[in-house]
Amino acid sequence: MKVITPKITMIELIDSHCHLDFAEFDHDRNAVVAAAKQAGVSAFVVPGISRQQWPRLLELAQQHAGWHLAFGLHPYFIAQHVPADLMHLELLLRQNPDAAVGEIGLDATCAQPALQLNLLRAQLNLAAELQRPVILHHRKTLDTLLAEVKVIGKVQGLTGIVHAFSGSSEQAQAWADIGFKLGVGGVITYPRANKTRTAISQAPLTSLVLETDSPDMPLMGFQGQRNEPSRVRIVFDALCELREESPAEIATQLLINTQSVFPKVSI
Ligand SMILES: [Zn+2]
């Protein structure tokens, strides 16, 4: 009797933005990582937020396979940062040649916009000088950020990810035009997020990467709960519903996109 074995193509995905080092995961980090791997999510980009947090991030990354790091000074923690942090950031980046610069950016809901801008420019310049990708945080600042990235990128070249993209189709295209990737997360699981869903459905497939921003940004149906990297799979399914390409084609392209920013990431 001829046994027909079904062709099972396992979808392998990457969470290009999750804070697995945060205290929210201290009691069950190994289980969270195992659950993600079970769901086909085997690589994680874990960004930095402040000088105080970098050492622990490094330490935890050494204990887990599949973690890829970024170091940066997040605008949300603007009150914590001091000028000397930039020097330490440069040192850390030189010691970790595979690390990206992030997350960095501008947040209109946070204090000290002028200081945020100075810090952003310094970190963009550092990324350009060291030829590292950047992970950009934005809140009501997408166009200002684009202008800043264009100025520095034009002279020195810059690549990276717009984390938690939530703009219009025009904004998505503008970022894609300069080679940046758009971080697609839980936002698209909410039907009311019309603008973002339309933008993501129309954006070039070559410009998309997946993320959760765990433990933040819960998906629809998980409001009030801690977010986890395993749910990248749910974001992927939501993305497939928005796109015309086949799931296999989307998964393959997402991997290529992520690796074009983080060449050392593998699944
Ligand atoms: Zn983040």
Side-chain angles (χ1 to χ4, degrees):
M1 196 179 96
K2 197 180 170 204
V3 179
I4 300 165
T5 42
K7 200 178 157 207
I8 300 167
T9 41
M10 176 74 181
I11 298 280
E12 294 282 348
L13 304 167
I14 297 164
D15 190 344
S16 73
H17 194 116
C18 53
H19 298 279
L20 278 171
D21 61 308
F22 279 13
E24 283 91 333
F25 296 110
D26 279 355
H27 66 286
D28 65 347
R29 186 169 288 107
N30 288 339
V32 168
V33 171
K37 290 183 177 170
Q38 191 73 34
V41 184
S42 51
F44 316 89
V45 178
V46 191
I49 52 167
S50 70
R51 183 182 164 192
Q52 292 77 6
Q53 170 252 8
W54 300 334
R56 176 143 171 81
L57 175 58
L58 257 179
E59 189 191 319
L60 283 169
Q62 281 156 7
Q63 298 167 18
H64 294 272
W67 286 32
H68 301 269
L69 304 185
F71 298 106
L73 299 164
H74 194 303
Y76 195 81
F77 303 94
I78 193 77
Q80 282 180 36
H81 307 321
V82 295
D85 290 351
L86 283 168
M87 200 183 70
H88 287 272
L89 177 60
E90 178 168 357
L91 206 65
L92 196 56
L93 288 167
R94 288 189 188 279
Q95 287 165 352
N96 294 276
D98 297 329
V101 178
E103 53 184 292
I104 63 174
L106 298 171
D107 192 319
T109 66
C110 293
Q112 309 196 56
L115 190 58
Q116 286 189 40
L117 190 57
N118 281 343
L119 216 47
L120 170 74
R121 287 174 175 166
Q123 293 181 98
L124 287 176
N125 275 309
L126 189 56
E129 188 192 329
L130 300 178
Q131 296 189 305
R132 306 291 176 87
V134 294
I135 299 172
L136 299 175
H137 169 96
H138 63 94
R139 199 173 292 166
K140 299 188 169 87
T141 52
L142 210 45
D143 294 335
T144 320
L145 260 182
L146 179 67
E148 291 297 323
V149 167
K150 273 185 172 173
V151 168
I152 292 168
K154 192 182 255 177
V155 185
Q156 306 179 78
L158 270 177
T159 178
I161 293 176
V162 183
H163 155 54
F165 178 81
S166 59
S168 65
S169 287
E170 292 72 24
Q171 286 170 316
Q173 190 59 51
W175 284 100
D177 285 346
I178 61 162
F180 267 65
K181 309 299 178 201
L182 313 171
V184 180
V187 173
I188 66 161
T189 63
Y190 292 86
R192 68 167 186 268
N194 258 325
K195 185 179 71 172
T196 304
R197 283 163 62 93
T198 303
I200 295 302
S201 70
Q202 294 174 351
L205 184 60
T206 50
S207 70
L208 306 181
V209 295
L210 296 181
E211 60 167 61
T212 59
D213 202 23
S214 301
D216 300 322
M217 300 189 77
L219 277 62
M220 194 180 80
F222 298 93
Q223 292 96 324
Q225 290 181 32
R226 178 185 71 177
N227 200 3
E228 297 185 10
S230 61
R231 296 188 187 138
V232 154
R233 180 59 211 231
I234 302 174
V235 178
F236 174 75
D237 292 342
L239 177 64
C240 289
E241 279 183 29
L242 292 176
R243 304 284 314 190
E244 285 177 352
E245 301 90 346
S246 72
E249 190 184 338
I250 293 172
T252 303
Q253 190 60 50
L254 289 171
L255 175 62
I256 294 169
N257 299 347
T258 312
Q259 287 177 331
S260 78
V261 181
F262 305 107
K264 291 286 168 71
V265 170
S266 60
I267 54 174

